[in-house]
Amino acid sequence: MRNKNINFLPLDNAAKIYPAAMTKKWNAVFAISVYLKEEVKKDALRKAVFDLEKRFPSFYVCLKKGLFWDYFYKAESLDIITDSKDICRPINTKDKKRPLFRIITNSCEIRCEFFHAVTDGSGAMEFVKALMLRYLQLCGCEVNDAKSFGIKEYKEPPKRSEFEDDFLKIYNGSKGAARKGKKAYQIKMNKENEKFYRDEVCIPLSNLKKLTQTYDCTVTQFITAAYAMALINMYNDDCSSSKKPLIISIPVNLRKYWKSGTLRNFSSFITANILPEGKMSFEAVLNEIKKEMNEKISKEQLYSDVCRNVADEKMLISRLAPSFLKKPVMKTAFRLFGERKYTSTVTNLGSVKLPQEMEEHINMITVTLGETYINPINCAVVSFADTLCATLSFAGNGFEIVRYFMDILQSKGLNVSCAGAI
């Protein structure tokens, strides 16, 4: 780091798999969308993007191939705002001038799309909140208490802790738990014209929280159960005949366990396994989800998973083998121990809190998981004001999953609405 700009930044432990696993048509991209109450002012947005460059230098980076590992270096161009209805298309990692994220405007929507090697969902949300603060300020909105909401302001100098690889920081040399787990049931879907869609299901948050109290569960557990139930109902015959369990991958933000301030990747994941046997009730699925999550989400268990991944990186052969030899091995491992070990993903970025002056300009906030290499349907959740938005993203002809998901929520007394497939 020199003059508060990134000139050379090694990829963090979690990021290293993404360049290795990507193909010509796919890499790991996710999006955060902010829907304003008025049409986007592009000039103000461009200025906001420019103003945040020095505050978030680890975002404004390009990817460079190294002899042993890839690394980031400072991007030259800030020409990243486009108009497009395509969602989470691959980021061009060969572009040596533009950073590894883009901003797409569509009427009232500001959608920020990130290559996962740069950051995870929690880190990206910090950037999006700061972007919206600066954008609204440039539009004439006076925000007096942004700091009390933890929003990073563009004039602040970046902190060194924001660039740190906290996987390495907390690692103590342990090898961690051995890799294990059953092969998951995989959804087979006809990818029509290779199109990718999203559908945003909006749920009143206060009503949902009352319902979770009745079921003695968390919001994440309830949504995961409803989503898993929707998959079971949609693929009932195939699920029942398969001897492989339906496995939901659930990312876990590690920052709250280790009080981390990093803006880079610092999350792990747990899996919830369900073996559909006959006609399962929602309550049975929810109980399985609760049991799995309660057993697996602990600091000790999460730390063991972190140690396993860092230990793999620190193996002598991993350090000394050149990149062109390591990447095919990493890609194969990603196929074998990555997506084939789960059926789908449910991620919850939690509740976004903003000053009232900002809230008055925003209708809703959503998160979209981009297409994965194998699994064609995923779910991402975020709450803002009194609305929880669950965005179902799918490739090809996956439209029915939205109806199944909404039917389950409505059967529990929730008044849900749908934005329609985009």
Side-chain angles (χ1 to χ4, degrees), residues 215-311:
Y215 282 101
D216 188 27
C217 66
T218 66
V219 167
T220 301
Q221 290 169 348
F222 186 92
I223 294 295
T224 303
Y227 178 69
M229 193 74 196
L231 290 174
I232 292 170
N233 290 344
M234 185 173 177
Y235 298 99
N236 189 34
D237 293 339
D238 196 28
C239 275
S240 298
S241 61
S242 174
K243 294 183 180 179
K244 297 177 182 177
L246 183 82
I247 301 179
I248 304 296
S249 175
I250 305 165
V252 180
N253 181 9
L254 299 179
R255 291 167 179 83
K256 63 181 180 181
Y257 294 95
W258 279 276
K259 296 181 180 178
S260 166
T262 188
L263 294 175
R264 306 178 73 195
N265 288 286
F266 196 48
S267 55
S268 186
F269 69 92
I270 61 104
T271 56
N273 301 11
I274 303 157
L275 188 60
E277 296 176 343
K279 189 172 178 63
M280 294 188 73
S281 66
F282 172 80
E283 287 73 18
V285 172
L286 177 58
N287 285 336
E288 283 298 312
I289 298 289
K290 287 169 60 177
K291 177 176 175 290
E292 295 263 329
M293 291 183 70
N294 290 338
E295 287 178 356
K296 294 178 180 178
I297 299 182
S298 68
K299 188 172 182 178
E300 294 74 22
Q301 181 64 47
L302 293 169
Y303 183 68
S304 180
D305 294 337
V306 168
C307 287
R308 179 191 62 214
N309 293 330
V310 177

Side-chain angles (χ1 to χ4, degrees), residues 19 22 62-73 93-94 96 323 327:
M22 66 185 181
C62 298
L63 185 67
K64 179 77 172 178
K65 291 182 180 179
L67 179 60
F68 297 104
W69 294 107
D70 294 343
Y71 63 91
F72 295 133
Y73 66 96
T93 60
K94 293 182 179 181
K96 301 309 176 186
S323 182
K327 283 190 175 180

Side-chain angles (χ1 to χ4, degrees), residues 71 101 106 109 135 162 270 384:
Y71 63 91
F101 73 98
N106 185 15
E109 179 190 14
Y135 169 79
E162 295 170 356
I270 61 104
F384 171 69

Side-chain angles (χ1 to χ4, degrees), residues 145-163:
D145 57 346
K147 276 195 173 181
S148 66
F149 284 81
I151 303 176
K152 295 169 173 45
E153 300 195 55
Y154 80 101
K155 289 184 178 180
E156 298 172 341
K159 299 175 182 177
R160 180 171 290 276
S161 61
E162 295 170 356
F163 313 138

Side-chain angles (χ1 to χ4, degrees), residues 190 237 332:
N190 177 27
D237 293 339
T332 301

Side-chain angles (χ1 to χ4, degrees), residues 162-199:
E162 295 170 356
F163 313 138
E164 290 182 335
D165 181 351
D166 279 359
F167 292 107
L168 299 180
K169 190 175 179 181
I170 68 172
Y171 179 63
N172 70 355
S174 169
K175 291 184 178 181
R179 295 185 189 276
K180 58 182 180 179
K182 301 177 181 178
K183 286 187 177 180
Y185 168 74
Q186 306 289 164
I187 297 169
K188 299 176 182 66
M189 183 175 291
N190 177 27
K191 296 186 178 182
E192 299 173 349
N193 302 318
E194 297 187 351
K195 287 284 287 181
F196 185 69
Y197 304 90
R198 64 174 173 176
D199 222 332

